[in-house]
Amino acid sequence: MFTGLVEEVGEIVAVEPQEDAVRLLVRGPRVAADARHGDSIAVDGVCLTVTTLDGDVFGADVMAESLKRSSLGDLVAGSPVNLERAMTPQTRFGGHIVQGHVDGTGTLLDRTPSEHWEVLRFGVPGSLTRYLVEKGSITINGTSLTVVDVIDGSESSFTVSLIPTTLAETTLGALPTGARVNLEVDVLAKYVERLLAKGAMHG
């Protein structure tokens, strides 16, 4: 379980192909400092298990299913990634409940800079728009953000506003137009949908 508060921007050191997976070697001095074999670390919003440790570099295996459902397959050596360790009982819960389970990928459509913030608009699969509400939560590449607007139509999209801290301390500040991102919708919305569906079936 995570909060969506990125602890540091790490760097992909290497992408090592496996038979039906890849091993990512990730440099992250802060998250690797107290990491142990088997710990969970979110890499661009995807919960991965630490399998190797070498100083400030940790290794994590990414299965084919995760590569298919996320943007991790786009990573190459030198790619920046958002990193967050799993939350503990003592963690300040400043974001929202993030599982590290990607629901789909979106695409950065455009950026609109302002004096004190920047508005980013992302294209999103139509199947996910039902989980998005204005002022609701969304996780983009592991970053907990608030939805500003939801735009339904032939090109479903939503916008978020990024403050200077988010622009400077996550990969979203330098994200190029057209880049794919990992999206995780609010798990509470999925639970509500499931419960309502069961209620309708038994009603």
Side-chain angles (χ1 to χ4, degrees), residues 117-139:
W117 63 85
E118 194 166 350
V119 176
L120 275 62
R121 185 169 68 95
F122 292 91
V124 61
S127 60
L128 295 184
T129 56
R130 67 181 184 272
Y131 301 114
L132 302 179
V133 295
E134 292 182 15
K135 306 302 183 288
S137 297
I138 182 73
T139 306

mmCIF file of all heavy atoms in Angstrom, residues 117-139:
data_model
loop_
_atom_site.group_PDB
_atom_site.id
_atom_site.type_symbol
_atom_site.label_atom_id
_atom_site.label_comp_id
_atom_site.label_asym_id
_atom_site.label_seq_id
_atom_site.Cartn_x
_atom_site.Cartn_y
_atom_site.Cartn_z
ATOM 1 N N TRP A 117 1.402 27.454 -11.530
ATOM 2 C CA TRP A 117 1.140 26.029 -11.690
ATOM 3 C C TRP A 117 1.059 25.710 -13.165
ATOM 4 O O TRP A 117 1.189 26.587 -14.025
ATOM 5 C CB TRP A 117 -0.161 25.628 -10.980
ATOM 6 C CG TRP A 117 -1.391 26.280 -11.518
ATOM 7 C CD1 TRP A 117 -2.152 25.875 -12.579
ATOM 8 C CD2 TRP A 117 -2.022 27.471 -11.032
ATOM 9 N NE1 TRP A 117 -3.208 26.732 -12.785
ATOM 10 C CE2 TRP A 117 -3.155 27.703 -11.851
ATOM 11 C CE3 TRP A 117 -1.745 28.346 -9.974
ATOM 12 C CZ2 TRP A 117 -3.996 28.792 -11.642
ATOM 13 C CZ3 TRP A 117 -2.591 29.416 -9.777
ATOM 14 C CH2 TRP A 117 -3.698 29.646 -10.597
ATOM 15 N N GLU A 118 0.852 24.448 -13.476
ATOM 16 C CA GLU A 118 0.727 24.020 -14.868
ATOM 17 C C GLU A 118 -0.397 23.006 -14.964
ATOM 18 O O GLU A 118 -0.523 22.114 -14.116
ATOM 19 C CB GLU A 118 2.048 23.397 -15.342
ATOM 20 C CG GLU A 118 2.129 23.230 -16.851
ATOM 21 C CD GLU A 118 3.547 22.938 -17.326
ATOM 22 O OE1 GLU A 118 4.483 23.062 -16.510
ATOM 23 O OE2 GLU A 118 3.709 22.577 -18.496
ATOM 24 N N VAL A 119 -1.240 23.154 -15.960
ATOM 25 C CA VAL A 119 -2.362 22.239 -16.167
ATOM 26 C C VAL A 119 -1.974 21.222 -17.233
ATOM 27 O O VAL A 119 -1.574 21.594 -18.337
ATOM 28 C CB VAL A 119 -3.640 22.998 -16.596
ATOM 29 C CG1 VAL A 119 -4.772 22.014 -16.892
ATOM 30 C CG2 VAL A 119 -4.061 23.977 -15.501
ATOM 31 N N LEU A 120 -2.093 19.942 -16.894
ATOM 32 C CA LEU A 120 -1.787 18.863 -17.829
ATOM 33 C C LEU A 120 -3.082 18.129 -18.176
ATOM 34 O O LEU A 120 -3.898 17.852 -17.290
ATOM 35 C CB LEU A 120 -0.797 17.862 -17.219
ATOM 36 C CG LEU A 120 0.699 18.198 -17.326
ATOM 37 C CD1 LEU A 120 1.036 19.497 -16.604
ATOM 38 C CD2 LEU A 120 1.533 17.046 -16.770
ATOM 39 N N ARG A 121 -3.246 17.843 -19.466
ATOM 40 C CA ARG A 121 -4.435 17.100 -19.909
ATOM 41 C C ARG A 121 -4.000 15.743 -20.450
ATOM 42 O O ARG A 121 -3.094 15.650 -21.282
ATOM 43 C CB ARG A 121 -5.198 17.879 -20.987
ATOM 44 C CG ARG A 121 -6.522 17.215 -21.413
ATOM 45 C CD ARG A 121 -7.362 18.168 -22.267
ATOM 46 N NE ARG A 121 -6.737 18.416 -23.558
ATOM 47 C CZ ARG A 121 -7.026 17.740 -24.676
ATOM 48 N NH1 ARG A 121 -7.930 16.776 -24.668
ATOM 49 N NH2 ARG A 121 -6.419 18.049 -25.805
ATOM 50 N N PHE A 122 -4.648 14.709 -19.957
ATOM 51 C CA PHE A 122 -4.300 13.348 -20.327
ATOM 52 C C PHE A 122 -5.463 12.665 -21.031
ATOM 53 O O PHE A 122 -6.609 12.743 -20.571
ATOM 54 C CB PHE A 122 -3.942 12.519 -19.084
ATOM 55 C CG PHE A 122 -2.670 12.952 -18.412
ATOM 56 C CD1 PHE A 122 -2.694 13.898 -17.398
ATOM 57 C CD2 PHE A 122 -1.455 12.413 -18.793
ATOM 58 C CE1 PHE A 122 -1.521 14.295 -16.768
ATOM 59 C CE2 PHE A 122 -0.275 12.807 -18.172
ATOM 60 C CZ PHE A 122 -0.309 13.751 -17.159
ATOM 61 N N GLY A 123 -5.163 11.996 -22.133
ATOM 62 C CA GLY A 123 -6.136 11.116 -22.753
ATOM 63 C C GLY A 123 -6.229 9.849 -21.938
ATOM 64 O O GLY A 123 -5.223 9.362 -21.405
ATOM 65 N N VAL A 124 -7.420 9.314 -21.810
ATOM 66 C CA VAL A 124 -7.646 8.168 -20.931
ATOM 67 C C VAL A 124 -8.577 7.177 -21.626
ATOM 68 O O VAL A 124 -9.479 7.582 -22.370
ATOM 69 C CB VAL A 124 -8.249 8.642 -19.588
ATOM 70 C CG1 VAL A 124 -9.581 9.324 -19.802
ATOM 71 C CG2 VAL A 124 -8.388 7.502 -18.598
ATOM 72 N N PRO A 125 -8.381 5.875 -21.428
ATOM 73 C CA PRO A 125 -9.324 4.901 -21.991
ATOM 74 C C PRO A 125 -10.736 5.191 -21.514
ATOM 75 O O PRO A 125 -10.956 5.503 -20.340
ATOM 76 C CB PRO A 125 -8.811 3.555 -21.433
ATOM 77 C CG PRO A 125 -7.374 3.788 -21.132
ATOM 78 C CD PRO A 125 -7.272 5.216 -20.701
ATOM 79 N N GLY A 126 -11.701 5.104 -22.416
ATOM 80 C CA GLY A 126 -13.084 5.412 -22.065
ATOM 81 C C GLY A 126 -13.610 4.582 -20.917
ATOM 82 O O GLY A 126 -14.475 5.023 -20.156
ATOM 83 N N SER A 127 -13.076 3.378 -20.748
ATOM 84 C CA SER A 127 -13.546 2.504 -19.678
ATOM 85 C C SER A 127 -13.194 3.031 -18.291
ATOM 86 O O SER A 127 -13.782 2.593 -17.291
ATOM 87 C CB SER A 127 -12.945 1.103 -19.857
ATOM 88 O OG SER A 127 -11.522 1.167 -19.815
ATOM 89 N N LEU A 128 -12.257 3.957 -18.205
ATOM 90 C CA LEU A 128 -11.843 4.478 -16.900
ATOM 91 C C LEU A 128 -12.525 5.786 -16.522
ATOM 92 O O LEU A 128 -12.473 6.189 -15.360
ATOM 93 C CB LEU A 128 -10.323 4.692 -16.871
ATOM 94 C CG LEU A 128 -9.445 3.444 -16.981
ATOM 95 C CD1 LEU A 128 -7.975 3.827 -16.836
ATOM 96 C CD2 LEU A 128 -9.823 2.409 -15.932
ATOM 97 N N THR A 129 -13.157 6.455 -17.476
ATOM 98 C CA THR A 129 -13.721 7.781 -17.172
ATOM 99 C C THR A 129 -14.826 7.707 -16.122
ATOM 100 O O THR A 129 -15.053 8.677 -15.399
ATOM 101 C CB THR A 129 -14.269 8.460 -18.440
ATOM 102 O OG1 THR A 129 -15.231 7.602 -19.063
ATOM 103 C CG2 THR A 129 -13.147 8.774 -19.419
ATOM 104 N N ARG A 130 -15.497 6.568 -16.020
ATOM 105 C CA ARG A 130 -16.577 6.475 -15.031
ATOM 106 C C ARG A 130 -16.056 6.539 -13.597
ATOM 107 O O ARG A 130 -16.822 6.773 -12.664
ATOM 108 C CB ARG A 130 -17.396 5.197 -15.243
ATOM 109 C CG ARG A 130 -16.662 3.893 -14.964
ATOM 110 C CD ARG A 130 -17.599 2.707 -15.249
ATOM 111 N NE ARG A 130 -17.023 1.414 -14.932
ATOM 112 C CZ ARG A 130 -16.296 0.692 -15.763
ATOM 113 N NH1 ARG A 130 -16.024 1.179 -16.977
ATOM 114 N NH2 ARG A 130 -15.830 -0.487 -15.410
ATOM 115 N N TYR A 131 -14.760 6.305 -13.409
ATOM 116 C CA TYR A 131 -14.171 6.370 -12.072
ATOM 117 C C TYR A 131 -13.624 7.755 -11.745
ATOM 118 O O TYR A 131 -13.136 7.972 -10.627
ATOM 119 C CB TYR A 131 -13.034 5.357 -11.948
ATOM 120 C CG TYR A 131 -13.441 3.931 -12.185
ATOM 121 C CD1 TYR A 131 -12.961 3.228 -13.291
ATOM 122 C CD2 TYR A 131 -14.307 3.273 -11.319
ATOM 123 C CE1 TYR A 131 -13.331 1.917 -13.518
ATOM 124 C CE2 TYR A 131 -14.685 1.955 -11.540
ATOM 125 C CZ TYR A 131 -14.190 1.284 -12.645
ATOM 126 O OH TYR A 131 -14.566 -0.022 -12.869
ATOM 127 N N LEU A 132 -13.659 8.666 -12.708
ATOM 128 C CA LEU A 132 -13.077 9.985 -12.517
ATOM 129 C C LEU A 132 -14.158 11.009 -12.221
ATOM 130 O O LEU A 132 -15.156 11.090 -12.935
ATOM 131 C CB LEU A 132 -12.301 10.408 -13.771
ATOM 132 C CG LEU A 132 -11.173 9.476 -14.225
ATOM 133 C CD1 LEU A 132 -10.530 10.013 -15.488
ATOM 134 C CD2 LEU A 132 -10.146 9.309 -13.123
ATOM 135 N N VAL A 133 -13.950 11.784 -11.172
ATOM 136 C CA VAL A 133 -14.885 12.854 -10.825
ATOM 137 C C VAL A 133 -14.075 14.098 -10.495
ATOM 138 O O VAL A 133 -12.934 14.012 -10.044
ATOM 139 C CB VAL A 133 -15.773 12.478 -9.616
ATOM 140 C CG1 VAL A 133 -16.677 11.312 -9.949
ATOM 141 C CG2 VAL A 133 -14.926 12.165 -8.392
ATOM 142 N N GLU A 134 -14.661 15.252 -10.754
ATOM 143 C CA GLU A 134 -13.990 16.498 -10.407
ATOM 144 C C GLU A 134 -13.685 16.536 -8.912
ATOM 145 O O GLU A 134 -14.516 16.172 -8.085
ATOM 146 C CB GLU A 134 -14.865 17.693 -10.794
ATOM 147 C CG GLU A 134 -15.029 17.857 -12.299
ATOM 148 C CD GLU A 134 -15.847 19.070 -12.662
ATOM 149 O OE1 GLU A 134 -16.042 19.939 -11.778
ATOM 150 O OE2 GLU A 134 -16.291 19.165 -13.825
ATOM 151 N N LYS A 135 -12.481 16.917 -8.587
ATOM 152 C CA LYS A 135 -11.964 16.985 -7.210
ATOM 153 C C LYS A 135 -11.739 15.598 -6.614
ATOM 154 O O LYS A 135 -11.434 15.486 -5.422
ATOM 155 C CB LYS A 135 -12.895 17.807 -6.302
ATOM 156 C CG LYS A 135 -13.202 19.211 -6.831
ATOM 157 C CD LYS A 135 -11.940 20.022 -7.033
ATOM 158 C CE LYS A 135 -12.253 21.437 -7.492
ATOM 159 N NZ LYS A 135 -12.728 21.497 -8.891
ATOM 160 N N GLY A 136 -11.853 14.561 -7.431
ATOM 161 C CA GLY A 136 -11.545 13.216 -6.962
ATOM 162 C C GLY A 136 -10.065 12.914 -7.131
ATOM 163 O O GLY A 136 -9.303 13.717 -7.670
ATOM 164 N N SER A 137 -9.653 11.738 -6.673
ATOM 165 C CA SER A 137 -8.239 11.366 -6.700
ATOM 166 C C SER A 137 -7.894 10.515 -7.916
ATOM 167 O O SER A 137 -8.709 9.720 -8.381
ATOM 168 C CB SER A 137 -7.874 10.587 -5.429
ATOM 169 O OG SER A 137 -8.047 11.377 -4.280
ATOM 170 N N ILE A 138 -6.674 10.695 -8.404
ATOM 171 C CA ILE A 138 -6.125 9.889 -9.498
ATOM 172 C C ILE A 138 -4.625 9.754 -9.238
ATOM 173 O O ILE A 138 -3.999 10.678 -8.702
ATOM 174 C CB ILE A 138 -6.386 10.544 -10.883
ATOM 175 C CG1 ILE A 138 -5.851 9.669 -12.024
ATOM 176 C CG2 ILE A 138 -5.761 11.929 -10.966
ATOM 177 C CD1 ILE A 138 -6.649 8.445 -12.305
ATOM 178 N N THR A 139 -4.083 8.608 -9.580
ATOM 179 C CA THR A 139 -2.637 8.415 -9.455
ATOM 180 C C THR A 139 -2.029 8.360 -10.845
ATOM 181 O O THR A 139 -2.444 7.542 -11.677
ATOM 182 C CB THR A 139 -2.307 7.113 -8.708
ATOM 183 O OG1 THR A 139 -3.000 7.102 -7.462
ATOM 184 C CG2 THR A 139 -0.812 6.998 -8.453
#
